[in-house]
Amino acid sequence: MRSSVLKDGCTRAPQRSLLRALGLSDSELKRPFIGVVSSASDYIPGHRHLKEISEAVKAGIRNAGGVPFEFETIGVCDGLAMGHGGMRYSLCSRELIADSAEVMLTAHPLDAVVFIPNCDKIVPGMLMAACRLNLPSIFVSGGPMLPGKHNNTRFGLSEMFEAVGSHAAGKIDDNELLALEKSACPSCGSCSGMYTANSMNCLTEAIGMALPGNGSIPAVMSARVALAKQAGEQVMELLKKDLRPKDILTKQAFENALRSDMALGCSSNTVLHLLAIAYEAGVEISMDTIDEISRTTPQLCKLNPASQVFITDLDEVGGIQSVLKELSKKGLIHEGIATVSGTVSERFANSPAADGEVIRTVENPFRKDGGIAILKGNIAPEGAVVKQGAVAPEMMQHTGPARCFDSEEAASDAILGGKIQAGDVVVIRYEGPKGGPGMREMLNPTSALTGMGLGSSVALITDGRFSGATRGAAIGHVSPEAAAGGVIALIEDGDLVEVDITNRALNVKVSDQVLAERKANWSAPQKNLSGYLKRYAQHVTSGSQGAVFEK
């Protein structure tokens, strides 16, 4: 056991004395030591209940003969951080979470680990740490929030952000806005739509690092607590088998996750995170890989914000395992590979068949290709990302004049001030990994456009990123970013921008010669950075590489 480095032999008597200070008995000192890495927090709705989840995990570990040791990581709630300077720290936190888990689990040798995340950057951060440490590991999340309900209509946080735009446009009054505010988030858990948190928890199950049900069982259900207990028991089986993350996280496993991503219509942020996790796992996944899988995977689910169907509805008809089962009918899933609990096909064997509505069949999908598309062109030679499954049909191909803004705030002010017209293409730049820094989410401007009735007539492109709650012709992750001298920095007001999602193209109708002349006179704006943001900007790579740190 790895923990023997800490506790075995005469020379480790001082360490054992410290362990006894924790109340450990003689018998416990001889058992496997299991880490429980939680992101519990009083300040994050998705994490408020994780202490209960961790207690269940620890009970499961003890049931199976292990000794649990819990510690907590930081976590950022993207909803709370949205629309102000705090959002610069959201993506940045992913690297800190991975680093902090590495530090704790190396400084205090343990034999296996249960990771308990729930929200956006915490899930990939912990997966990255699991790859680095390569200890037997299993994940169990806190589960999704229940959808809100107002006037007999269910809705989620995305509609709450859109209500701000509706209020600015005079479509609803203060009382209606308050009523929506009090109804949108009725329970703890990760926000109720197929936003980034739920996307990543679903993909953690699909990739094989979590038990069936991890992505979809609601946070408030007793089944979620039982799942946590099972995860604690199962990590002991992984330890006995010496089954480690890099045994599970193979190229085939990433392909299964990407197939699921496309079938579910997940958040565009999953592109960033799967690239980063693959980087840590030593698996070659690129934007081209994602594009290829997108082109050949049908979209089987259309979940909020793309519809009024929620994660809880998906859970009721079989969840992620039923999606995998349906994809397997078309030979799109690697069925024989290992997971934390048997092979892929063993896990979905007894799951319900697709119900045809929440989960459509492969013969009758919502789309013949995936919910996420990779666009390329002179604006994004390294690629850009759009959640095409949530784009109105009339915006799949759109050409319009550019309206350029060098920050999210400037764009939001223009939108809410009525300065954006139908047909425009809003360009928000210097919000990339280096330029932001931190690659902020642009949910405020996109939801304002939708709330003001412009979602089906205005496109938005940015080197920043989007929340999974975003819908419409919102193209993010434009690479190279503006701060690196990408073409997005050279676009001027009035330039015609062509957004062709159907043919996966993104171009500005300006000659190479003119762009070269503009580049010769260009310089990036200087930002007065300090602390972690300054270090982050110095080391982070392109969004097309997952915005990982240079090694």
Side-chain angles (χ1 to χ4, degrees), residues 14 20-21 397 481 499:
R20 291 181 188 279
Q397 293 178 304
E481 62 176 289
V499 176

Side-chain angles (χ1 to χ4, degrees), residues 416-434:
L416 293 172
K419 297 177 182 178
I420 301 300
Q421 306 299 318
D424 286 347
V425 177
V426 176
V427 178
I428 306 178
R429 56 202 179 191
Y430 300 108
E431 290 286 7
K434 287 184 179 292

Side-chain angles (χ1 to χ4, degrees), residues 1-24:
M1 291 188 296
R2 185 171 178 263
S3 62
S4 62
V5 171
L6 179 72
K7 62 184 182 179
D8 288 1
C10 295
T11 60
R12 292 294 184 251
Q15 284 84 354
R16 288 195 299 275
S17 68
L18 288 169
L19 293 171
R20 291 181 188 279
L22 298 173
L24 266 62

